[in-house]
Amino acid sequence: MHTQRSSFRLGLVQMACAPDPNENLEKARWRIREAAARGAQLVCLPELFRSQYFCRQEDPDLFALAEPIPGPTTEVLSSLARELGVAIVAPLFERRAPGLYHNSAVLILPDGSLAGLYRKMHIPHDPLYFEKYYFTPGDTGIRVFATPFGPVAILICWDQWFPEAARLAALAGADLIVYPTAIGWHPSEKQTDGAAQLDAWLTVQRAHAIANGVFVAAVNRTGREGPPGSDLEFWGSSFVADPFGRILAQAPADKESTLVVECHRPLIEQTRRHWPFFRDRRTDAYHGLLQRWLDE
Amino acid sequence: MHTQRSSFRLGLVQMACAPDPNENLEKARWRIREAAARGAQLVCLPELFRSQYFCRQEDPDLFALAEPIPGPTTEVLSSLARELGVAIVAPLFERRAPGLYHNSAVLILPDGSLAGLYRKMHIPHDPLYFEKYYFTPGDTGIRVFATPFGPVAILICWDQWFPEAARLAALAGADLIVYPTAIGWHPSEKQTDGAAQLDAWLTVQRAHAIANGVFVAAVNRTGREGPPGSDLEFWGSSFVADPFGRILAQAPADKESTLVVECHRPLIEQTRRHWPFFRDRRTDAYHGLLQRWLDE
């Protein structure tokens, strides 16, 4: 008999990141404590929270920021998870082997054990987001992890633009897709395109919630990083959407914030019964999705 | 050398449908004339525009509304297309053989010829939308048709909830995905859920535009049909979104309306260069999309 609780409380830690990795770990620790004190059962940190967003530049010295998994950060956070009885999503710059690095996230269970690892599958590489230099594309595939609070998929940042990733998470049984993120404005574009960029980001993720009948959460950093001319203004705006795409809570763009949001699990099946997309998928006609382009 | 024009003008005919099919054809004809007079080059009609939305009930007599393609409606509209020099998307209740019917749409070119046929792939069946009774799921697959105004994919209504369909259209080279639609409120739900339903419908389609860097248009009917207690209030709100998901024009919920919208084709490539999702799709990891559910 399945005795999963009918709701879970999700904590999102939207933080600004300092140049010193230890400072960021300390901040994450007290923010997790704060979320747990407010009832959060699963607490998510932003992408690569241990450092500033180093992918603004291509510099071989910056590989020194990487660490193994398990490693020093998971040791600290496992201990904290056990102490507080919460699950933690910890996005890390993973050193898998000398010369082999990933943009990863580990799910830590309330007993301190590691439920597993997700390695970012879709890697961007664009002005000031030079990720292909640092990260080998993930080989984990899209994964769903069992937790005491329900099955959870972790996807990371650029993944959020790919409907395929969200669909695979839902097909694998996720109740919740959480997207640790580091996305912001190029200050020179903010005036003209900033509002449309933020709106597109919200829209595409709310659509994943709608098309898949799942809860979707994005956890972004905030603050400005880098010298003028090559700086990024991270747009915060971390949010949780319900399976109908309604935003349940949202952080501001420009402030650190800890959100704790109750997610009512029966809403998933209720939504899917009313708009039963999974009943009607044409799996016989989707083989083209495995192609790069249909130019034959 | 490719000499396609840099923009095209799209016409959307949002209409209310009367019980008499001839009245609807007459209205469609003058609305197409109106759109052409305002410069439209490709004019789209709503789903099943020849009749009221008969799928509110399951009645074998209503199969009499079906017609062959080519047939009486395409004959009339081909002649009109040739006269006006416009392309027309005509959604029809197709009688393919005795006992075999589809929810289809035909694309008529400005010379009056039929570019081809799309048969709705995803068929709903829910309270007052009893489509599985009438329509065999399409066997055309997702198709893109060449027109003098660029490559166009036609998808129909329920298809709009499936990211797979929009992706396949984009991979096949569509500049524009047009969704003839018949969607509305159950009046009893409108007060509580109506705004969220309409917003979800807009959001999921805008997300197709964003995720695929294409223009997206939805053409809905308006007006109330059926007796109290089993009536539907079609929500109009036909719109065009650009490749960044921005709504370029939108019709009201409760009025007939003809939209004519200029779509600037270079925006497609410009958008995709800035957010290059097609570069980064993980086609090696999407095989799960061909499964009904990943419960193995």
Side-chain angles (χ1 to χ4, degrees), chain B residues 10-224:
Chain B
L10 181 60
L12 307 185
V13 172
Q14 173 172 304
M15 55 188 267
C17 295
D20 175 8
N22 290 326
E23 192 177 327
N24 297 321
L25 183 56
E26 276 318 293
K27 186 189 286 182
R29 288 177 72 194
W30 74 256
R31 285 279 184 188
I32 291 168
R33 285 185 189 283
E34 179 200 7
R38 288 168 51 198
Q41 297 167 307
L42 171 66
V43 184
C44 306
L45 300 171
E47 184 183 15
L48 300 168
F49 78 98
R50 286 293 317 259
S51 62
Q52 290 205 321
Y53 184 69
F54 54 86
C55 315
R56 284 187 311 98
Q57 48 194 313
E58 294 171 299
D59 178 350
D61 289 344
L62 293 173
F63 285 102
L65 291 167
E67 62 175 295
I69 298 175
T73 301
T74 59
E75 192 174 325
V76 169
L77 294 179
S78 286
S79 160
L80 185 65
R82 196 163 44 239
E83 177 197 331
L84 300 173
V86 299
I88 299 173
V89 174
L92 294 169
F93 183 13
E94 181 191 5
R95 179 180 179 277
R96 188 177 184 182
L100 179 60
Y101 309 86
H102 295 284
N103 186 332
S104 300
V106 62
L107 177 64
I108 304 169
L109 294 176
D111 66 0
S113 66
L114 306 189
L117 185 69
Y118 169 70
R119 296 187 175 113
K120 186 172 179 175
M121 293 288 286
H122 301 92
I123 304 293
H125 195 90
D126 294 293
L128 302 190
Y129 295 87
F130 301 118
E131 295 200 14
K132 289 190 197 294
Y133 175 71
Y134 293 102
F135 310 126
T136 293
D139 58 353
T140 53
I142 309 303
R143 304 184 64 187
V144 171
F145 304 101
T147 80
F149 320 113
V152 175
I154 307 170
L155 296 171
I156 301 177
C157 203
W158 193 237
D159 288 331
Q160 67 212 351
W161 301 98
F162 296 82
E164 293 91 342
R167 182 66 101 200
L168 287 165
L171 293 177
D175 285 352
L176 165 70
I177 302 173
V178 60
Y179 291 95
T181 296
I183 192 169
W185 293 296
H186 294 260
S188 64
E189 295 176 356
K190 188 181 175 186
Q191 187 69 29
T192 51
D193 299 323
Q197 290 170 351
L198 175 56
D199 190 46
W201 179 78
L202 289 168
T203 299
V204 83
Q205 292 179 89
R206 289 178 56 218
H208 298 328
I210 296 163
N212 295 290
V214 292
F215 289 91
V216 166
V219 197
N220 195 16
R221 66 177 64 199
T222 187
R224 197 179 267 235

Side-chain angles (χ1 to χ4, degrees), chain A residues 147-229:
Chain A
T147 81
F149 320 114
V152 175
I154 307 170
L155 296 171
I156 302 178
C157 204
W158 194 236
D159 288 331
Q160 67 213 350
W161 301 99
F162 296 82
E164 293 92 342
R167 181 67 100 200
L168 287 166
L171 293 177
D175 284 352
L176 165 70
I177 302 173
V178 61
Y179 290 94
T181 297
I183 191 169
W185 293 296
H186 295 261
S188 64
E189 295 175 355
K190 188 180 175 187
Q191 187 69 28
T192 50
D193 300 322
Q197 289 170 352
L198 175 55
D199 189 47
W201 178 79
L202 290 168
T203 299
V204 83
Q205 291 180 89
R206 289 178 56 218
H208 298 328
I210 296 163
N212 295 291
V214 291
F215 289 91
V216 165
V219 197
N220 196 15
R221 66 176 63 199
T222 186
R224 197 178 268 236
E225 298 181 17

Side-chain angles (χ1 to χ4, degrees), chain A residues 120-126 132 137-139 141-142 158 161-165 167-174 183 189 192-193 196-208 210-212 235 244-246 272-295, chain B residues 120-126 132 137-139 141-142 158 161-165 167-174 183 189 192-193 196-208 210-212 235 244-246 272-295:
Chain A
K120 186 173 179 175
M121 294 287 287
H122 301 92
I123 305 292
H125 195 91
D126 294 294
K132 289 189 196 296
D139 58 353
I142 309 305
W158 194 236
W161 301 99
F162 296 82
E164 293 92 342
R167 181 67 100 200
L168 287 166
L171 293 177
I183 191 169
E189 295 175 355
T192 50
D193 300 322
Q197 289 170 352
L198 175 55
D199 189 47
W201 178 79
L202 290 168
T203 299
V204 83
Q205 291 180 89
R206 289 178 56 218
H208 298 328
I210 296 163
N212 295 291
W235 68 43
F244 211 66
R246 290 173 290 219
R272 292 181 186 177
R273 284 184 186 177
H274 279 82
W275 282 355
F277 310 134
F278 289 111
R279 182 188 62 191
D280 294 331
R281 293 177 67 242
R282 290 296 303 272
T283 54
D284 60 311
Y286 293 165
H287 45 278
L289 297 172
L290 307 186
Q291 302 299 311
R292 179 65 57 206
W293 195 252
L294 297 172
D295 42 11
Chain B
K120 186 172 179 175
M121 293 288 286
H122 301 92
I123 304 293
H125 195 90
D126 294 293
K132 289 190 197 294
D139 58 353
I142 309 303
W158 193 237
W161 301 98
F162 296 82
E164 293 91 342
R167 182 66 101 200
L168 287 165
L171 293 177
I183 192 169
E189 295 176 356
T192 51
D193 299 323
Q197 290 170 351
L198 175 56
D199 190 46
W201 179 78
L202 289 168
T203 299
V204 83
Q205 292 179 89
R206 289 178 56 218
H208 298 328
I210 296 163
N212 295 290
W235 68 43
F244 212 66
R246 289 173 291 219
R272 292 181 185 176
R273 284 184 186 175
H274 280 81
W275 281 357
F277 310 133
F278 289 111
R279 182 189 62 191
D280 295 332
R281 292 177 68 240
R282 290 296 303 273
T283 54
D284 61 312
Y286 293 165
H287 45 277
L289 298 172
L290 308 186
Q291 301 299 312
R292 178 66 56 204
W293 195 251
L294 298 171
D295 42 10

